[in-house]
């Protein structure tokens, strides 16, 4: 019964241009890594699965060293600990800890022709994991570049030039590694100018970022964090995330302090170090052109 539901979900994603571009991007930049596997699976991987496959999966992965029990709300701590011990305390570790290995980010160009109304583009750069000391510098840097209406990419390419339907920058953070992504959706006719402008902004970010942009980014990131913690589900998810991946809890005040401590020089250094177009990966889906067209814009190469 559930297979039928998942087949429909896979079909729905294949009709969504963003999902197609996102899945293709992660499949290629993390090729050979577990991160390259689509969470939904594929029709081919789903078809042969039997109930025994799921039992073996649970026996392998649902083990104490990979498990966090999180409780958020108004509760009796002693009673809760007693219940956790009762229902989970008999399980034994299997020596199957989370991997500490950094996922390898691959520099690649991937094109896929699809009959979508717009072309969907992702420029990806090797980033950092959730435990890295540069995380907050890069978070502020990415925010200034492409998060929200006041970002450099949005102001120039969407508001001033009207070349894109959507443009943004975000961080994908995993255990041990991650990447920075610049995403845009635009018509094939606007592609050359839109991508060219985006590359100009990325190249010049370390020189063009201002104190005002830095201050705005830090204020908005802080406000966003505070608002996201208003729901108990959000607090619970964050606590479990910290414990599972970092084996410690980081208070919101500490995160806010780390964000506030980011300087203009930190942002400039992060832009120089991480946003290198010569080391970028590129994914495009839609009415795409040839590889040489994109490489010439991004790297200045004649192919």
């Amino acid at each position: 019964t559930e297979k039928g539901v998942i087949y429909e979900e896979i079909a729905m994603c294949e009709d969504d241009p963003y999902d197609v571009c996102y899945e293709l991007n992660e499949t290629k930049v993390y090729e050979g890594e577990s991160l390259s596997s689509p969470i939904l699976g594929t029709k081919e991987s789903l078809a042969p699965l039997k109930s025994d496959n799921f039992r073996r999966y649970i026996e392998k992965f649902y083990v104490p060293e990979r498990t966090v029990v999180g409780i958020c709300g108004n509760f009796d701590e002693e009673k809760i600990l007693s219940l956790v011990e009762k229902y989970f305390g008999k399980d034994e570790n299997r020596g199957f800890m989370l991997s500490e290995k950094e996922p390898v980010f691959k520099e690649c160009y991937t094109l896929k022709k699809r009959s979508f109304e717009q072309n969907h583009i992702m420029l990806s750069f090797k980033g950092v994991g959730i435990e890295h000391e540069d995380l907050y510098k890069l978070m502020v840097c990415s925010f200034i570049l492409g998060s929200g209406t006041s970002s450099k990419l949005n102001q120039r390419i969407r508001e001033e030039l009207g070349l894109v339907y959507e443009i943004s920058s975000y961080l994908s953070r995993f255990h041990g590694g991650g990447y920075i992504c610049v995403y845009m959706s635009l018509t094939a006719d606007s592609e050359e100018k839109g991508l060219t402008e985006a590359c100009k902004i990325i190249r010049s970010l370390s020189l063009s970022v201002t104190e005002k942009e830095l201050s705005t980014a830090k204020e908005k990131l802080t406000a966003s964090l505070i608002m996201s913690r208003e729901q108990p589900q959000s607090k619970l998810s964050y606590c479990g995330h910290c414990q599972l991946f970092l084996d410690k809890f980081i208070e919101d005040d500490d995160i806010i302090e780390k964000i506030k401590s980011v300087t203009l020089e930190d942002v400039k250094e992060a832009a120089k170090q991480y946003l290198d177009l010569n080391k970028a990966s590129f994914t495009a889906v839609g009415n795409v052109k040839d590889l040489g067209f994109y490489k010439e814009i991004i790297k200045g190469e004649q192919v």
Side-chain angles (χ1 to χ4, degrees):
T1 302
E2 188 61 26
K3 276 186 181 182
V5 175
I6 298 172
Y7 282 133
E8 289 301 318
E9 289 177 340
I10 292 172
M12 185 169 64
C13 286
E14 288 175 348
D15 287 337
D16 186 306
Y18 173 80
D19 283 348
V20 173
C21 193
Y22 177 84
E23 290 282 9
L24 185 61
N25 185 59
E26 288 210 346
T27 297
K28 295 301 182 181
V29 299
Y30 286 125
E31 190 172 13
E33 305 282 346
S34 59
L35 285 170
S36 68
S37 302
I39 293 174
L40 278 172
T42 63
K43 293 175 182 177
E44 293 73 24
S45 68
L46 186 62
L49 292 182
K50 305 293 183 185
S51 57
D52 282 346
N53 296 109
F54 293 98
R55 293 190 186 96
R56 287 196 296 271
Y57 182 91
I58 289 170
E59 288 172 0
K60 182 177 181 181
F61 288 95
Y62 284 48
V63 293
E65 57 262 62
R66 287 173 169 258
T67 303
V68 169
V69 180
I71 299 99
C72 182
N74 183 16
F75 56 84
D76 183 310
E77 185 173 335
E78 188 175 329
K79 184 177 180 181
I80 283 291
L81 290 174
S82 175
L83 287 170
V84 171
E85 179 64 31
K86 177 180 178 181
Y87 290 107
F88 294 94
K90 295 177 182 178
D91 290 342
E92 295 182 358
N93 287 336
R94 317 282 174 82
F96 189 44
M97 298 291 292
L98 292 173
S99 173
E100 297 289 338
K101 183 174 73 73
E102 180 181 356
V104 178
F105 178 91
K106 292 181 172 59
E107 297 164 21
C108 55
Y109 279 65
T110 310
L111 309 177
K112 187 170 187 176
K113 277 204 173 282
R114 290 289 300 271
S115 56
F116 294 138
E117 291 294 321
Q118 294 178 317
N119 284 3
H120 294 255
I121 290 172
M122 288 184 173
L123 263 172
S124 300
F125 308 84
K126 182 181 178 182
V128 299
I130 56 176
E131 68 290 339
H132 199 281
E133 62 181 7
D134 287 348
L135 175 61
Y136 297 99
K137 300 175 188 177
L138 203 52
M139 190 185 295
V140 175
C141 180
S142 176
F143 196 96
I144 293 170
L145 177 63
S147 294
T149 56
S150 62
S151 67
K152 285 182 175 292
L153 289 173
N154 195 80
Q155 280 292 308
R156 174 61 177 162
I157 301 174
R158 190 177 193 275
E159 299 299 326
E160 292 180 23
L161 300 177
L163 293 172
V164 298
Y165 174 72
E166 183 179 354
I167 189 163
S168 62
S169 170
Y170 62 87
L171 300 185
S172 281
R173 294 161 284 176
F174 308 110
H175 191 44
Y179 66 90
I180 312 110
C181 183
V182 172
Y183 163 77
M184 66 182 81
S185 59
L186 69 178
T187 64
D189 292 340
S190 301
E191 190 177 47
E192 181 174 4
K193 191 170 183 181
L195 185 56
T196 299
E197 286 293 327
C199 289
K200 282 181 183 178
I201 292 169
I202 292 167
R203 284 193 186 95
S204 66
L205 183 61
S206 63
L207 300 174
S208 64
V209 62
T210 66
E211 283 285 359
K212 183 178 179 181
E213 289 170 327
L214 173 65
S215 177
T216 299
K218 292 197 287 188
E219 287 175 7
K220 289 188 175 182
L221 277 169
T222 300
S224 176
L225 173 67
I226 293 169
M227 290 177 65
S228 72
R229 297 287 194 260
E230 290 182 350
Q231 297 298 321
Q233 297 95 325
S234 174
K235 290 182 180 180
L236 179 60
S237 176
Y238 171 68
C239 290
H241 186 268
C242 277
Q243 192 63 46
L244 186 63
F245 293 114
L246 302 176
D247 198 27
K248 63 181 179 180
F249 178 68
I250 304 175
E251 297 284 354
D252 288 346
D253 287 345
D254 293 333
I255 297 175
I256 291 170
E257 187 57 39
K258 286 179 183 293
I259 292 172
K260 287 182 176 179
S261 69
V262 174
T263 67
L264 194 63
E265 283 304 312
D266 289 334
V267 175
K268 290 178 178 180
E269 284 300 317
K272 284 180 186 177
Q273 182 177 350
Y274 293 101
L275 300 179
D276 185 349
L277 286 166
N278 291 314
K279 297 179 180 179
S281 287
F282 177 80
T283 304
V285 172
N287 184 24
V288 296
K289 299 175 178 64
D290 63 273
L291 179 63
F293 169 80
Y294 298 107
K295 279 198 170 185
E296 187 174 347
I297 293 173
I298 296 167
K299 294 188 174 185
E301 293 182 5
Q302 296 286 344
V303 180

